[in-house]
Amino acid sequence: MSQGRSEDRLRDPVIIRDSGRFSFPEFYTREKPRLMRFFTRQLGNQADADELAQESFTRFVRAAPAQALASPQAYLTRIATNLLRDFVERGSTLLSKRTKPLDDGLYAIAPSDTHRELQAKQDLARWKLILNQLPPQTLDIFLRNRVEGQTYVAIAAELDLPLWVVQKQMVKAIRHVTAYREANDD
């Protein structure tokens, strides 16, 4: 039977530290850049990396007396790894709850919202005009990929075309759409 968590940590021979005095400010200054690189590399987001690094240090301070740890750096790394795993799991769960199929959004316009309905009809007509400027084969390939979700390989096989032709037609269509967007952003 143990008398308490902190007593167990102090008695555990793996984490007893017999070297010099631990200084948290020095430890923080030394380890913060390493944690930031770790989280930024994993998440690709500086803000989330900073938040998780701060949370790692907070949990480190709350968890155990640093003087009792054989390797404070390893302990901090374990905290950071667990936080990252929890963050990713929580994020994917939140994302899946917020994500809806595209079909659900088709009927999202309220019948009484005539302004949005008119705007949607105008946008649809404008995009039809833009896409109809493409050659028929290019338009067919573009719609198969972007609307129907077919891969380039599947399109090439179905239309009996070389893959490079499908890729070239897609580049042509994407350039056309991009040019239109850039012209209207000015």
Side-chain angles (χ1 to χ4, degrees):
M1 296 273 170
S2 69
Q3 295 178 357
R5 252 174 109 173
S6 62
E7 288 180 22
D8 289 342
R9 285 190 194 116
L10 291 173
R11 283 186 282 155
D12 188 348
V14 175
I15 57 174
I16 292 177
R17 185 178 163 166
D18 56 12
S19 61
R21 187 159 169 79
F22 179 81
S23 170
F24 182 75
E26 290 174 13
F27 180 72
Y28 179 87
T29 304
R30 187 178 65 243
E31 294 299 317
K32 174 80 185 276
R34 183 181 67 85
L35 276 184
M36 288 297 295
R37 285 190 306 273
F38 170 71
F39 285 126
T40 303
R41 186 174 50 248
Q42 297 297 322
L43 300 171
N45 181 337
Q46 192 76 22
D48 287 340
D50 189 48
E51 184 178 326
L52 288 178
Q54 292 299 330
E55 181 64 23
S56 297
F57 282 111
T58 302
R59 290 185 183 193
F60 176 84
V61 169
R62 289 182 187 158
Q67 293 81 4
L69 298 172
S71 176
Q73 183 181 24
Y75 192 69
L76 181 65
T77 301
R78 171 54 60 194
I79 291 170
T81 304
N82 290 342
L83 270 174
L84 179 65
R85 185 190 67 237
D86 293 345
F87 181 82
V88 170
E89 287 175 3
R90 186 178 65 241
S92 65
T93 303
L94 290 174
L95 182 62
S96 66
K97 287 180 182 176
R98 292 181 183 159
T99 304
K100 293 193 271 186
L102 288 176
D103 294 341
D104 289 348
L106 285 177
Y107 305 104
I109 298 174
S112 62
D113 193 355
T114 56
H115 175 71
R116 283 191 179 186
E117 191 174 327
L118 178 63
Q119 183 67 40
K121 286 180 181 178
Q122 289 174 345
D123 287 345
L124 181 61
R126 186 171 49 247
W127 280 107
K128 280 183 179 179
L129 286 174
I130 294 163
L131 293 176
N132 284 333
Q133 293 173 4
L134 293 170
Q137 183 184 32
T138 306
L139 178 61
D140 183 38
I141 291 171
F142 181 78
L143 292 176
R144 285 173 185 258
N145 177 258
R146 294 300 168 111
V147 176
E148 296 173 19
Q150 289 183 319
T151 64
Y152 290 1
V153 174
I155 295 169
E158 197 170 300
L159 297 178
D160 196 30
L161 294 171
L163 181 60
W164 68 268
V165 172
V166 172
Q167 292 169 333
K168 183 178 177 182
Q169 296 301 322
M170 281 301 296
V171 168
K172 183 191 256 184
I174 291 169
R175 281 186 182 153
H176 178 74
V177 169
T178 303
Y180 170 78
R181 280 189 173 167
E182 288 174 356
N184 285 332
D185 286 343
D186 294 337

